[in-house]
Amino acid sequence: MGCSASTTTTVDKGRVKPATLENGELKPTIQHFKSKDTFLEDNQKPKPTVEHLRSKDTSLEDNQKPKPTVQHLKSEVTFWEDKQKLIPDYERIRVLDAHAIQAPAYLKNSPTELVNYLTKIANNDLEKFRVLFRWEAENVDYDVESVYGNKGPSDSSPEGALKNGLAVCAGYSGLFKWLCTLADLETKCVSLSGASKGGDYQPGDTFEINNGKIKTDHAWNKICVNGKWYLCDCTWAAGTVDYDENLGKRKYTRSWNESYFLSNPEMFEAKHFPVGDDGQSAPDEQLLDSPVTDLNVWSDQLQRSDTFYTYSVETVTHNQGVIETDGNEVTIKLRSPFALQYWKKLCVLNPRETTPRKGRNVSDCVMAYKTDDVINFRVRLPSQGDFILDIGAKCLNANEDLKSVREWIMSYTIRGKSASSTPAFPPGVSYDIWGANDEFLTNGFVVMGLNEPIIRTDTGKAQVSVKLPNIQAPLLADLVHMSDGQAVEMPGHVCGEKIGQDVLYSIVLPCIGEYRFTVHAKLRDDSDLYWQGVNILIENSKPADVDEKFPERRGLWGPDDEFYKLGLQDIGQSSRIVAEKGSCELKLGKQPEIKVIFDLEKDGRTYDDGAKYVFADTASDGSNLTFHVRLPEQGYYNLKLYAKNRNKEGTFPSVGSWLLESRGSWGGELFPHANGSWGAADHFFDLGLQLLAHKSSLIEATNGACVLTIKAPQPITTTPYLEKNGTRLPEDIKTNCIKITNDTSSITYSLTLPDSGFYKFELYGALAGSTSLPYLGCWLINSRK
């Protein structure tokens, strides 16, 4: 392994644009990183934040909400203990850094003048070290070509590094030592060297030993402040070397890393193994109470970055860097006290002499999800062999001091020993994490009754329950099935039933295998876009007995936004209505000025004669509406409603759709056809008329007899009609059936009907003396004899 800068993993994190109605994504809400400091002692770890899809009972309503006492990643909790004591006020460090960064470029031609300029504002040794270290990190780039290209050896002398602005690790270490000497810190700065886990190192790699001596490949420094020694690595503090797939080679990126100044010794030991002049381990230079003395033990450790310690990551399982699995499957569990946006990348691990080391990307073979405060990485290797799993995390709301915190946290080498292959997980999960994401939860949505985002079923059916933050919150849902390695969309296999503020998703699984079930929500106040809120893996071991398909609808059944804007109310509360023997009802509350119309669909076809299957029963005062439904055959129907204010011009906008599940065929009489809608028409109300006694447009005629009385503020003239089976009764029969009585303030119609069944009573009228009689309305008479 050649001398090299710290490496980071270049990852395609699958970032996609916000969802349209056909595609969804979510960016989780991550807690804010207050400032500069990126170190944590174990006893400083704050409490966990949002917990995903967790429940030990049947509801996650309480424990899915973010904790109110969450700590933020800020200066007072992120430096390790000794660094906190040395730097109680980071504002002073900012001043020193700005001074170093803004130093005139010509000063590098005179090392003495450079050091004098840099240290003139320093009040103590620590401040001198800081300005020298920060200037070097900002003005010397890593010489990538000398290590990985055809340039030849780099001039790693202090003079060469200063003059050329290029160096490898020995040049960085030597230059810092030289600058410290010029600043009268000669005895307080020492150069060290040893083995390192930089460059192309991956867990499981071995380190070269020649003639019993450990080969060194990296150099760094230790400095003495107030009589105590601390570790620093200017090479890795200055930037990173990444393999650029577009360039087909490695490139250097300058990027400040606070972690490598006054480093936490435990963090430093994870990637540095000091070696003495005798070629043997120099454990005392680790500055640890219990140093690692054996190179093999150190080389087998988990590959951890400085960010591992920045985020106080804890390995709940698998502390070693190499994992061997007989079945090619393993689940790795981590924990952090901070709410992080995780990502993962799984690649084939190429032999050490191959460039790049990381081959084919097989990240869909990893499922990441949270349970309580643990992040789980469930890995299925696609074949036998070695694979590298990179795990990273990021805080989206970090302030400027932490913008350069590296995302890569750690790496495992996973060795599959089985010759059999395992399938990938269904793709399409935004930001890599399954389950309910933070932003979904902080918006008040709750997923009920799941401890983890995995449902296992042997019935071909599954259910998911979500509680809405308010009754008007809309959702979309998708189902994808993995078939022969391909993700296949499954429209019509999900029914989102709205029951008040709860949503019950019924899912039909026609095939054996795995499915991704996704719920999308509007999560931004300033956007109408939908974002992924929940992703659940469904493992089905038996197909459904019947490949039952619902009418295709990604949104929820029931009311939509316009429904609530018009002040309508769903009195029945459920948007999926069972019609036993083909008969059911839907009840709505409304204002008298709101007019509602409908369509009835089955299998995507609208019934032209839907009025004979649906009777829209309007209350006499216009305050509520009941749809009586008679369905001709078994199956699913879509009752689509439209509404508007009767005083406004224009079309009727949709206000929702209700799913009707007919479990039998209606064998009785169907409804007559109304003239638009049942009950009083607009002109009825314009004349100030009022139907007395009867509260709806359905009037029962016991023994064929009933009475309708209309109160009129002024004398009116009316003409009634009777219709049976779509035909108006002849005038002579009508006269025998209807007796009209007038008085000064009302008109009474006494009906005596000859047969049982439905009659339509139509009424036309106007003020007395009018030459035309407009339509006043129609009422359904149910004659029982």
Side-chain angles (χ1 to χ4, degrees):
M1 182 187 301
C3 176
S4 60
S6 173
T7 60
T8 61
T9 303
T10 304
V11 176
D12 175 8
K13 306 175 191 66
R15 305 296 190 250
V16 294
K17 294 181 179 180
T20 62
L21 291 182
E22 297 303 321
N23 181 28
E25 176 189 273
L26 173 78
K27 294 182 178 180
T29 299
I30 307 296
Q31 70 181 62
H32 184 60
F33 282 20
K34 272 289 193 180
S35 68
K36 70 279 175 182
D37 315 319
T38 54
F39 301 81
L40 272 178
E41 284 287 284
D42 288 341
N43 59 7
Q44 295 172 318
K45 294 179 180 179
K47 300 298 181 184
T49 60
V50 180
E51 299 169 291
H52 294 251
L53 285 175
R54 57 172 298 213
S55 175
K56 304 235 178 355
D57 310 297
T58 58
S59 172
L60 303 187
E61 183 169 2
D62 293 330
N63 55 17
Q64 277 191 320
K65 295 179 180 178
K67 306 292 184 182
T69 57
V70 170
Q71 289 192 16
H72 294 265
L73 192 58
K74 54 186 179 180
S75 58
E76 49 267 40
V77 298
T78 54
F79 283 178
W80 66 292
E81 183 179 2
D82 284 10
K83 189 167 182 176
Q84 285 185 0
K85 292 177 180 178
L86 288 174
I87 306 178
D89 179 14
Y90 199 79
E91 292 302 320
R92 176 59 181 167
I93 296 299
R94 288 193 179 93
V95 172
L96 296 170
D97 287 354
H99 174 69
I101 293 169
Q102 295 167 10
Y106 70 85
L107 290 175
K108 66 185 297 185
N109 297 321
S110 174
T112 301
E113 289 185 28
L114 172 64
V115 171
N116 289 339
Y117 174 85
L118 291 173
T119 58
K120 68 181 181 180
I121 70 166
N123 296 322
N124 50 49
D125 288 354
L126 172 61
E127 293 189 355
K128 289 182 180 180
F129 282 127
R130 180 68 181 203
V131 292
L132 298 175
F133 190 88
R134 190 60 194 268
W135 181 90
E136 182 175 336
E138 292 292 328
N139 288 274
V140 180
D141 290 341
Y142 190 76
D143 194 351
V144 178
E145 291 300 320
S146 70
V147 177
Y148 298 107
N150 301 316
K151 177 182 175 181
S154 175
D155 182 355
S156 291
S157 67
E159 297 84 358
L162 181 63
K163 176 183 177 181
N164 300 323
L166 285 174
V168 292
C169 55
Y172 279 95
S173 175
L175 177 57
F176 184 59
K177 167 68 176 173
W178 186 35
L179 295 177
C180 289
T181 298
L182 295 175
D184 296 325
L185 298 170
E186 180 177 6
T187 62
K188 297 180 180 181
C189 180
V190 175
S191 291
L192 301 173
S193 63
S196 71
K197 295 178 180 178
D200 284 333
Y201 171 83
Q202 301 298 340
D205 289 348
T206 57
F207 292 86
E208 189 174 346
I209 299 177
N210 295 322
N211 299 320
K213 295 184 177 182
I214 301 170
K215 181 180 179 181
T216 62
D217 58 31
H218 192 49
W220 57 93
N221 300 90
K222 69 175 181 178
I223 59 175
C224 185
V225 180
N226 298 338
K228 185 171 182 178
W229 289 95
Y230 298 89
L231 297 164
C232 297
D233 188 334
C234 195
T235 310
W236 289 1
T240 60
V241 173
D242 305 305
Y243 183 83
D244 190 310
E245 294 183 358
N246 293 324
L247 296 176
K249 63 179 182 179
R250 294 170 180 83
K251 73 172 184 178
Y252 173 74
T253 302
R254 185 180 295 172
S255 176
W256 169 252
N257 189 337
E258 176 68 41
S259 301
Y260 287 106
F261 180 73
L262 304 179
S263 297
N264 180 340
E266 183 182 355
M267 179 275 291
F268 208 83
E269 174 271 334
K271 299 185 75 174
H272 298 74
F273 190 83
V275 175
D277 293 338
D278 60 356
Q280 304 303 308
S281 168
D284 291 344
E285 300 298 354
Q286 295 177 26
L287 308 185
L288 290 169
D289 293 336
S290 300
V292 179
T293 59
D294 190 311
L295 179 64
N296 291 326
V297 172
W298 177 76
S299 66
D300 286 341
Q301 289 178 342
L302 175 66
Q303 172 78 319
R304 295 157 290 168
S305 75
D306 52 284
T307 310
F308 180 94
Y309 297 89
T310 299
Y311 296 151
S312 292
V313 177
E314 172 192 351
T315 52
V316 180
T317 64
H318 301 92
N319 295 315
Q320 294 300 104
V322 179
I323 301 172
E324 293 188 348
T325 168
D326 292 332
N328 290 1
E329 295 192 38
V330 64
T331 299
I332 298 166
K333 300 184 178 185
L334 310 175
R335 180 185 290 118
S336 170
F338 300 103
L340 305 174
Q341 178 189 335
Y342 288 91
W343 55 258
K344 40 68 178 173
K345 183 177 181 180
L346 183 69
C347 294
V348 174
L349 181 58
N350 292 325
R352 197 163 188 175
E353 62 275 9
T354 304
T355 300
R357 290 293 305 281
K358 295 172 184 176
R360 181 167 58 96
N361 188 325
V362 289
S363 296
D364 284 339
C365 294
V366 184
M367 177 187 180
Y369 61 95
K370 287 186 176 181
T371 52
D372 297 328
D373 60 342
V374 173
I375 180 73
N376 304 266
F377 296 91
R378 184 179 172 190
V379 183
R380 296 173 177 164
L381 301 182
S383 63
Q384 195 174 36
D386 286 358
F387 296 80
I388 189 74
L389 174 64
D390 292 320
I391 297 173
K394 183 178 182 180
C395 173
L396 295 177
N397 294 330
N399 66 11
E400 289 303 318
D401 290 322
L402 290 174
K403 289 295 185 183
S404 61
V405 170
R406 288 152 173 77
E407 294 188 24
W408 170 66
I409 292 178
M410 58 203 300
S411 296
Y412 288 94
T413 294
I414 305 177
R415 187 162 294 148
K417 301 174 71 175
S418 172
S420 61
S421 62
T422 53
F425 294 98
V429 176
S430 295
Y431 289 94
D432 288 345
I433 304 298
W434 291 73
N437 59 57
D438 291 344
E439 195 166 3
F440 187 76
L441 300 177
T442 55
N443 271 273
F445 294 93
V446 181
V447 180
M448 315 289 284
L450 287 178
N451 184 50
E452 59 181 9
I454 302 173
I455 296 175
R456 298 175 177 89
T457 177
D458 59 1
T459 64
K461 294 185 178 181
Q463 289 188 328
V464 175
S465 182
V466 176
K467 179 172 285 294
L468 304 174
N470 59 74
I471 198 170
Q472 299 184 37
L475 295 175
L476 301 178
D478 294 314
L479 185 68
V480 170
H481 176 239
M482 290 300 292
S483 176
D484 296 326
Q486 300 296 316
V488 179
E489 294 184 0
M490 304 292 290
H493 287 83
V494 176
C495 169
E497 176 185 358
K498 193 172 181 181
I499 310 169
Q501 221 168 305
D502 295 323
V503 173
L504 177 63
Y505 284 105
S506 298
I507 306 166
V508 177
L509 311 167
C511 307
I512 293 174
E514 293 186 333
Y515 297 76
R516 170 177 55 80
F517 174 66
T518 303
V519 176
H520 310 259
K522 291 183 179 181
L523 301 175
R524 311 290 170 84
D525 292 337
D526 59 348
S527 174
D528 286 331
L529 298 176
Y530 284 79
W531 308 73
Q532 282 193 9
V534 183
N535 285 283
I536 296 174
L537 178 69
I538 303 177
E539 299 175 349
N540 182 42
S541 59
K542 181 182 177 182
D545 293 335
V546 179
D547 185 5
E548 179 182 31
K549 291 192 67 175
F550 305 102
E552 292 185 14
R553 183 174 176 85
R554 290 186 69 207
L556 297 176
W557 291 95
D560 58 23
D561 289 346
E562 191 65 25
F563 183 94
Y564 299 106
K565 290 178 182 178
L566 291 173
L568 296 168
Q569 295 177 305
D570 185 354
I571 298 174
Q573 292 292 295
S574 177
S575 61
R576 180 178 178 180
I577 303 171
V578 175
E580 297 289 355
K581 298 181 179 179
S583 175
C584 63
E585 291 183 352
L586 169 63
K587 296 182 178 182
L588 304 180
K590 72 179 189 68
Q591 297 299 317
E593 66 271 14
I594 302 302
K595 186 173 183 179
V596 182
I597 61 176
F598 69 90
D599 278 329
L600 183 66
E601 291 184 356
K602 188 176 192 303
D603 300 328
R605 180 179 65 87
T606 300
Y607 282 89
D608 294 331
D609 54 352
K612 71 180 182 181
Y613 302 112
V614 181
F615 166 53
D617 180 10
T618 304
S620 58
D621 62 358
S623 63
N624 56 60
L625 176 63
T626 301
F627 292 93
H628 302 271
V629 184
R630 305 290 185 261
L631 301 173
E633 57 183 316
Q634 287 184 326
Y636 289 108
Y637 293 78
N638 181 358
L639 180 62
K640 304 172 70 173
L641 301 186
Y642 310 84
K644 74 175 184 70
N645 190 307
R646 65 176 68 247
N647 298 318
K648 293 184 178 181
E649 299 294 330
T651 59
F652 284 76
S654 171
V655 295
S657 293
W658 278 256
L659 180 65
L660 310 180
E661 181 183 353
S662 178
R663 296 180 177 176
S665 300
W666 175 253
E669 185 179 8
L670 298 178
F671 302 110
H673 189 278
N675 297 341
S677 60
W678 293 93
D682 293 349
H683 189 54
F684 185 94
F685 295 106
D686 293 341
L687 294 177
L689 304 180
Q690 182 181 357
L691 178 66
L692 302 180
H694 302 290
K695 295 183 178 181
S696 78
S697 54
L698 174 61
I699 298 172
E700 296 292 338
T702 304
N703 295 322
C706 64
V707 175
L708 285 78
T709 300
I710 295 175
K711 183 178 179 181
Q714 300 179 63
I716 61 171
T717 301
T718 64
T719 298
Y721 294 94
L722 275 177
E723 183 180 298
K724 174 72 169 166
N725 298 327
T727 302
R728 279 185 178 178
L729 298 186
E731 189 67 23
D732 57 337
I733 298 178
K734 181 190 77 171
T735 301
N736 291 331
C737 293
I738 303 175
K739 181 181 179 181
I740 303 174
T741 305
N742 288 280
D743 62 27
T744 56
S745 61
S746 65
I747 302 177
T748 299
Y749 304 90
S750 300
L751 278 62
T752 303
L753 304 172
D755 300 308
S756 295
F758 289 131
Y759 289 80
K760 180 170 71 172
F761 177 77
E762 289 184 283
L763 191 63
Y764 296 79
L767 294 175
S770 298
T771 57
S772 63
L773 300 180
Y775 177 69
L776 292 177
C778 66
W779 288 261
L780 181 65
I781 312 297
N782 186 16
S783 175
R784 300 177 185 272
K785 302 197 71 169

